[in-house]
Amino acid sequence: MKTTTTTTTTTTRATGAAAQQPEWSDPEALEEVRRELRSRPPLVTEEECATLAESLERVARGEAFVLQGGDCAERFREANAEETGRKVDQLHSLSGRLRAGSGAGVVAIGRMAGQYGKPRSESWESAPGGGVIPTYRGDAVNGPAAEPGARFADPTRLLRAYDCAGRVLAAVRASWEGREAAERVHVSHEALLLDYEYPLARDGATGRYASSAHSVWIGDRTRSVDGPHVAFASSVANPVGVKIGPSIGPAEAVHLSTLLNPGAIPGHLTFIVRMGSARIRRLLPELVGEVARRGTPVVWVCDPMHGNTMRMGTGVKTRPMEAILEETTAFVRILRSLREHPGGLHLEMTPQDVTECVSAPRPFSAPPPLSRYRTACDPRLNAEQACEVVERFAGML
Ligand code: PEP
Ligand code: MN
């Protein structure tokens, strides 16, 4: 996709073009939106980010685990106290299980209050009535309905994303009432849309920080070492993550660790591994070994979702529980065998009663009942399935 000229100006290191940016429909409106975002109050405070950083330092020391989870793509219409309360409850309940199973502390982080931009492998898809339409790129960009009118990239949606994130955060903060700082749910999302992230970066007392979330991560498709996403993540003080897929090599992983955690701060950088159950045993050991030898400290977290996506005959995406559980098991075994801390789990999950990931043996013939398939993007674990994955992880420790 074409990149906007405004996204790469704030950094000196990035020489590559910004991948996965929308072709915004109206460049002047985009400029207006960026101005507006710069003038708005920060969504999160520097102190809140520092609290999360302290918790993640305990993970880096091997004294706690991360449980990061939520929707693949959050929806604007779910940005209310009720839905958010359910998601926070799910994170607390899974954290409780992981705490009980591991006997260690758990740091709960939602994929929420900003998970509104999606990278896509295809820019176009076939329309139900014939012809092609742009793909859905998250509520901050366009709408999921399969019709041309919903799919143009509308920059004013970035302002709605900010408003929705604010509502979700208000509900998340309400859940902090009466809880120790270490038990609070914090929020995170993929820092994908640079026209959102750069205007929301703020100068704090200790340096520049992303005020869009307590922590952001860089996706597997945008983690190029000379790209603007990595440059953005390296310019902020928040704890940051990077998704690490099968195309990464050991040298690149080492390079990323030095770019994103130059100060070698324990807990500042998390590598979120998403290799797939078929590849993790072959690829992960060397990465972990090389980063330990030549890189800076990273927390290793397992995303057993994104390397295990498959399409059913109907074209609908699903993920077999079998592969998700197998990758989780392999992850813990590999980290343990290398005397490294298996730092936690990163899950796409929902408290809603859905069937999006399936327990059926491969290959799949029938789609899950559509009434229970509701995700706007990737298939999520339902409450019971998420429990099963957490129990498996805890049981391996
Ligand atoms: C995601 O987390 O929804 C995602 C797109 O992941 P990845 O960057 O690992 O493909
Ligand atoms: Mn996803």
Side-chain angles (χ1 to χ4, degrees), residues 119 190 217-224 242-248 274:
E190 176 175 348
W217 75 85
I218 303 304
D220 190 45
R221 291 171 176 82
T222 51
R223 59 165 170 69
S224 153
V242 196
K243 293 287 204 88
I244 300 288
S247 66
I248 200 165
R274 32 87 87 223

Side-chain angles (χ1 to χ4, degrees), residues 352-365:
Q352 295 172 13
D353 184 20
V354 301
T355 309
E356 297 170 355
C357 298
V358 291
S359 302
R362 288 171 263 184
F364 307 102
S365 42

Side-chain angles (χ1 to χ4, degrees), residues 133-393:
I133 50 173
T135 44
Y136 172 62
R137 289 183 174 271
D139 276 12
V141 177
N142 56 12
E147 51 197 52
R151 291 290 174 86
F152 74 97
D154 175 0
T156 65
R157 280 177 166 267
L158 293 170
L159 296 176
R160 288 174 67 196
Y162 174 97
D163 294 335
C164 290
R167 282 200 289 278
V168 172
L169 261 162
V172 169
R173 289 196 186 97
S175 77
W176 292 354
E177 206 63 43
R179 280 184 187 274
E180 304 266 325
E183 291 168 7
R184 292 175 184 169
V185 166
H186 285 85
V187 303
S188 67
H189 62 262
E190 176 175 348
L192 176 73
L193 301 171
L194 298 174
D195 292 310
Y196 184 72
E197 302 301 339
Y198 269 116
L200 287 176
R202 294 286 178 273
D203 285 320
T206 56
R208 198 92 182 137
Y209 79 104
S211 81
S212 63
H214 301 125
S215 177
V216 293
W217 75 85
I218 303 304
D220 190 45
R221 291 171 176 82
T222 51
R223 59 165 170 69
S224 153
V225 290
D226 62 357
H229 291 88
V230 167
F232 173 75
S234 70
S235 74
V236 294
N238 317 54
V240 293
V242 196
K243 293 287 204 88
I244 300 288
S247 66
I248 200 165
E252 204 178 358
V254 168
H255 193 175
L256 274 175
S257 78
T258 58
L259 288 175
L260 290 169
N261 193 8
I265 300 165
H268 178 72
L269 175 62
T270 298
F271 276 178
I272 307 161
V273 179
R274 32 87 87 223
M275 295 291 171
S277 64
R279 291 182 167 118
I280 186 167
R281 285 182 199 82
R282 181 162 50 83
L283 300 177
L284 186 58
E286 197 186 352
L287 293 182
V288 174
E290 279 294 285
V291 171
R293 269 189 296 279
R294 304 193 298 123
T296 62
V298 308
V299 168
W300 293 94
V301 162
C302 175
D303 165 0
M305 315 296 295
H306 286 87
N308 295 310
T309 313
M310 29 205 346
R311 281 188 194 274
M312 293 178 284
T314 52
V316 174
K317 286 191 279 190
T318 191
R319 290 162 171 160
M321 279 297 287
E322 206 185 349
I324 292 169
L325 292 167
E326 194 183 315
E327 182 162 359
T328 302
T329 303
F331 173 84
V332 178
R333 288 217 173 107
I334 291 165
L335 272 289
R336 280 275 152 105
S337 73
L338 297 169
R339 299 188 193 294
E340 293 276 335
H341 183 51
L345 282 170
H346 181 116
L347 304 177
E348 286 187 342
M349 62 186 204
T350 176
Q352 295 172 13
D353 184 20
V354 301
T355 309
E356 297 170 355
C357 298
V358 291
S359 302
R362 288 171 263 184
F364 307 102
S365 42
L370 284 181
S371 60
R372 289 166 54 92
Y373 194 96
R374 290 207 288 264
T375 182
C377 196
D378 287 340
R380 303 161 295 180
L381 301 165
N382 60 31
E384 197 182 318
Q385 292 169 332
C387 270
E388 200 178 336
V389 179
V390 168
E391 297 287 359
R392 170 67 65 96
F393 182 89

